[in-house]
Amino acid sequence: MCRTNLSISMKSFTQYVVIALTMAVALPACNVERLPETSISDQTYWRSEGDLKTAANYLYTFLPAWGNDDVWSDDAFGLAANNISDGTRLAPATDGNYNTNYNLIRAANNIVEKAPRAAAAASQSAIDRYTAEARFFRAWGYFNLVQRYGDVPLILKTLTENSPELSAPASPRAAIFDQIYQDLDFAAAKLPTHTTLGTADYGRISNTSALAFKARVALFEGTRAKYHNYGEPAKHLKAAADAAKAVIDSKQHDLFSGAYFDLFQMAGEGRQNRENIIVKQYGVSLTERVLTHSYYRSSLENGNLNPTKSLADSYLMKDGLPIGVSPLYKAPVVSTDVFVDRDTRMSDTFMKKGDPMMTTKPIFDIANLVFNKTGFMFRKTANIDDWNTSASTIDRPILRYAEVLVTYAEALYELNGSINDADLDLTVNRLRQRGGVAKLTNAFATTNNLNIRDEIRRERRVELAQEGFRYWDLMRWKTAEVELPKAVLGNYFFKAEFGTIASVRLTPDNYILVQDASFRKFDPAKDYLWPLPINEIALNPALNQNPKW
């Protein structure tokens, strides 16, 4: 397997590795808001455009790797219960989600402050460009923080050990979102287009990256404010719709022309795939790589991330109707029946009998319940060669054009209480088309007693399944208190295929019972925000712990 159009040259890859490691050494992980005076502050640096680019490259190391975040939600379950999804979590002493994001913000602030020093040798457009990259990543870090913790300290400059800001209280989330928007608007205005970046700079943040991320951020806060009843939801929803439409109108991106499964293989990588807007790059081969990962072998095949019945049931039949009402749906007799007449993205996302699997078992037949506790196994990124080497270079798509489309549809509906058929065709129906599913129209929804809002949410769920969105969607819609306390169910237990397994528990209708509802809880007065790390409150008594933690 090889890529037909390399994302960037080997020379660029090598430079990326060297400069990223250089910056990692130069910006040590000390306390979150502090920047020691010895860290890239001498007058011999910040003298050229190359210095600015090198500094900005370090920020890209903070892009998230492949992960198992979906076990926090009702979409997935791991080898054991998860304390976020089942409500048993306690406030931690430390939390990497807190410190790492402030490390990113500190590095971004450093660039914003010092980039102007390069004025003698670098053009203003170059200074603006790398300042814009820094402001994009500052917005990225602050969104990660406020999404989890709500109000947090808003730090917009580098600090010393004696800075008074170290003992300041948290800023309101509204002020943080205003700053995020300012940073992303600056980035959208100053960064080059996706096309201008070309092959040599593929993977760097473009102006549409900033707009697409703004759409994600604004949709989150707009719907969260609406359903949690605070703030100015219309302001954020309009910002989400406007930013998403700007990406659409730019014509810089489109849906991948190949198969949905190939989006998450080497065939979906590089500049020729215009669907990817932000990616974490790993490389083009084992000899030309930045990083490697073993996501398929260590997370999917080994059972750290397994799809649930709840996710499986969300995939429509090809007539556009849910399984509960479609005349096409038949109760499964064998495991492959689950995929008959369904949205084809289901068989691209779930392993099914006959799919290539791994070196020691080349063809999949049925999930191994020792590892795949739900009786289902995810398929995205599945690759036999990667299983064998445990060193994959398949990039992680972090923000795709498909997300922009469903964001635009949802923002319009939440803002106006309706969406017309033309906008459904522009967004949801383009995604349904590649899944082989009938179009959604207002008349179709009325005839079949469907709720348009629910169908837009369903489309988002199946299109972005296994990509870490579901938990945060439940949080912003305020439906986590309904969905997360439910029992976790898996596949229908096909005894002839699974065999006799003494330890498996089943529901009365023969579905695998993974975690009983009695072991799951969600406190809506507490669990919609994460607890601040206890050590951070000890360092800064002006910080208040989130309610009931």
Side-chain angles (χ1 to χ4, degrees):
M1 182 179 297
C2 64
R3 183 186 302 178
T4 57
N5 180 19
L6 297 184
S7 63
I8 58 177
S9 67
M10 183 55 195
K11 181 179 178 182
S12 296
F13 251 90
T14 303
Q15 290 173 337
Y16 185 95
V17 174
V18 172
I19 57 189
L21 291 175
T22 300
M23 294 302 296
V25 172
L27 288 174
C30 56
N31 227 346
V32 294
E33 298 95 350
R34 298 166 172 80
L35 183 68
E37 288 299 316
T38 56
S39 293
I40 310 186
S41 60
D42 60 277
Q43 297 304 310
T44 63
Y45 202 76
W46 311 105
R47 295 285 184 88
S48 68
E49 181 175 342
D51 288 350
L52 299 182
K53 187 173 185 177
T54 299
N57 282 342
Y58 174 60
L59 305 176
Y60 287 82
T61 66
F62 287 85
L63 288 173
W66 292 98
N68 301 331
D69 294 359
D70 279 306
V71 298
W72 303 342
S73 75
D74 57 346
D75 270 6
F77 194 87
L79 289 166
N82 179 267
N83 64 9
I84 294 177
S85 69
D86 71 11
T88 60
R89 171 176 47 168
L90 301 174
T94 61
D95 184 350
N97 292 294
Y98 191 90
N99 293 336
T100 298
N101 282 299
Y102 271 113
N103 287 339
L104 171 59
I105 291 163
R106 181 192 62 200
N109 284 340
N110 197 42
I111 294 172
V112 172
E113 284 187 2
K114 295 174 181 174
R117 296 184 187 179
S123 66
Q124 187 60 47
S125 63
I127 293 171
D128 286 345
R129 175 181 177 178
Y130 295 109
T131 299
E133 286 194 11
R135 292 186 67 170
F136 171 89
F137 279 102
R138 182 166 69 183
W140 184 278
Y142 270 118
F143 178 62
N144 287 339
L145 287 166
V146 74
Q147 186 182 43
R148 287 168 170 79
Y149 309 105
D151 300 350
V152 293
L154 181 61
I155 308 296
L156 300 177
K157 64 179 183 179
T158 54
L159 305 181
T160 66
E161 293 291 335
N162 299 317
S163 295
E165 290 86 352
L166 293 174
S167 56
S171 298
R173 66 184 298 136
I176 297 169
F177 275 97
D178 284 345
Q179 182 61 49
I180 288 172
Y181 294 154
Q182 289 177 36
D183 283 346
L184 294 177
D185 287 345
F186 182 90
K190 301 298 184 180
L191 289 172
T193 66
H194 186 74
T195 301
T196 302
L197 287 175
T199 299
D201 272 343
Y202 172 77
R204 300 197 80 88
I205 300 301
S206 67
N207 68 329
T208 48
S209 302
L211 289 167
F213 184 59
K214 183 179 180 182
R216 176 190 289 184
V217 168
L219 180 70
F220 178 88
E221 188 62 3
T223 49
R224 195 181 191 282
K226 179 177 179 177
Y227 292 104
H228 290 255
N229 194 28
Y230 68 86
E232 302 176 87
K235 165 189 167 181
H236 300 289
L237 291 169
K238 185 177 186 306
D242 289 348
K245 190 60 162 59
V247 177
I248 294 169
D249 290 344
S250 75
K251 307 297 183 185
Q252 293 289 308
H253 301 280
D254 203 350
L255 296 181
F256 182 52
S257 59
Y260 180 77
F261 177 75
D262 285 340
L263 260 172
F264 310 95
Q265 298 291 316
M266 296 298 284
E269 295 196 358
R271 186 170 174 267
Q272 75 278 6
N273 177 9
R274 294 170 62 206
E275 181 162 345
N276 285 340
I277 300 177
I278 303 175
V279 299
K280 184 176 182 69
Q281 293 182 290
Y282 285 86
V284 297
S285 69
L286 289 179
T287 56
E288 298 181 52
R289 65 189 185 183
V290 178
L291 301 165
T292 63
H293 63 84
S294 59
Y295 175 66
Y296 172 47
R297 185 167 181 171
S298 64
S299 290
L300 308 187
E301 186 265 319
N302 280 357
N304 286 304
L305 187 70
N306 308 294
T308 61
K309 180 180 185 293
S310 177
L311 175 59
D313 288 352
S314 67
Y315 287 84
L316 294 167
M317 305 302 292
K318 67 181 182 181
D319 60 5
L321 295 174
I323 61 173
V325 297
S326 172
L328 296 176
Y329 181 73
K330 302 291 186 296
V333 177
V334 295
S335 61
T336 51
D337 289 347
V338 175
F339 303 95
V340 174
D341 290 332
R342 300 290 285 277
D343 183 332
T344 59
R345 288 170 295 179
M346 183 179 186
S347 60
D348 287 335
T349 304
F350 286 59
M351 275 283 187
K352 61 185 180 303
K353 188 173 184 178
D355 285 334
M357 189 182 178
M358 60 188 184
T359 306
T360 56
K361 186 178 181 180
I363 303 298
F364 182 83
D365 49 17
I366 197 74
N368 183 344
L369 289 176
V370 174
F371 300 107
N372 308 120
K373 301 294 186 181
T374 65
F376 286 120
M377 179 177 163
F378 275 124
R379 186 176 177 227
K380 280 184 182 178
T381 77
N383 183 289
I384 290 180
D385 291 338
D386 289 350
W387 185 92
N388 189 41
T389 63
S390 288
S392 176
T393 58
I394 293 175
D395 293 347
R396 180 187 176 183
I398 293 172
L399 203 161
R400 299 192 278 120
Y401 186 62
E403 181 193 341
V404 173
L405 296 183
V406 290
T407 292
Y408 184 56
E410 185 180 348
L412 285 180
Y413 188 87
E414 294 291 357
L415 188 60
N416 303 318
S418 64
I419 182 172
N420 61 43
D421 288 350
D423 283 324
L424 286 173
D425 285 343
L426 180 67
T427 57
V428 168
N429 288 329
R430 293 204 63 200
L431 304 179
R432 287 191 173 206
Q433 182 180 20
R434 75 171 171 189
V437 176
K439 289 173 59 172
L440 175 65
T441 66
N442 282 279
F444 180 85
T446 299
T447 300
N448 293 284
N449 198 29
L450 300 176
N451 183 296
I452 290 284
R453 185 194 70 178
D454 292 345
E455 294 309 304
I456 292 171
R457 290 182 178 184
R458 180 201 305 276
E459 187 59 39
R460 178 181 176 87
R461 184 179 190 181
V462 302
E463 173 64 34
L464 302 176
Q466 199 191 321
E467 297 179 52
F469 289 90
R470 177 65 174 172
Y471 171 79
W472 297 113
D473 289 343
L474 296 177
M475 299 295 276
R476 65 189 176 89
W477 295 331
K478 207 175 184 295
T479 54
E481 62 202 70
V482 175
E483 302 301 334
L484 293 186
K486 293 179 180 177
V488 178
L489 303 180
N491 201 356
Y492 187 85
F493 186 74
F494 304 99
K495 186 174 181 180
E497 297 176 71
F498 281 116
T500 301
I501 301 175
S503 61
V504 70
R505 296 184 300 158
L506 303 176
T507 65
D509 49 354
N510 211 44
Y511 284 92
I512 297 168
L513 176 59
V514 185
Q515 189 178 24
D516 191 87
S518 62
F519 292 100
R520 298 180 66 82
K521 62 181 179 179
F522 186 93
D523 183 352
K526 170 186 177 186
D527 291 326
Y528 280 111
L529 289 174
W530 285 26
L532 289 168
I534 294 170
N535 286 356
E536 296 300 325
I537 297 173
L539 287 168
N540 179 8
L543 288 180
N544 294 318
Q545 183 59 281
N546 280 321
K548 300 190 73 173
W549 284 104

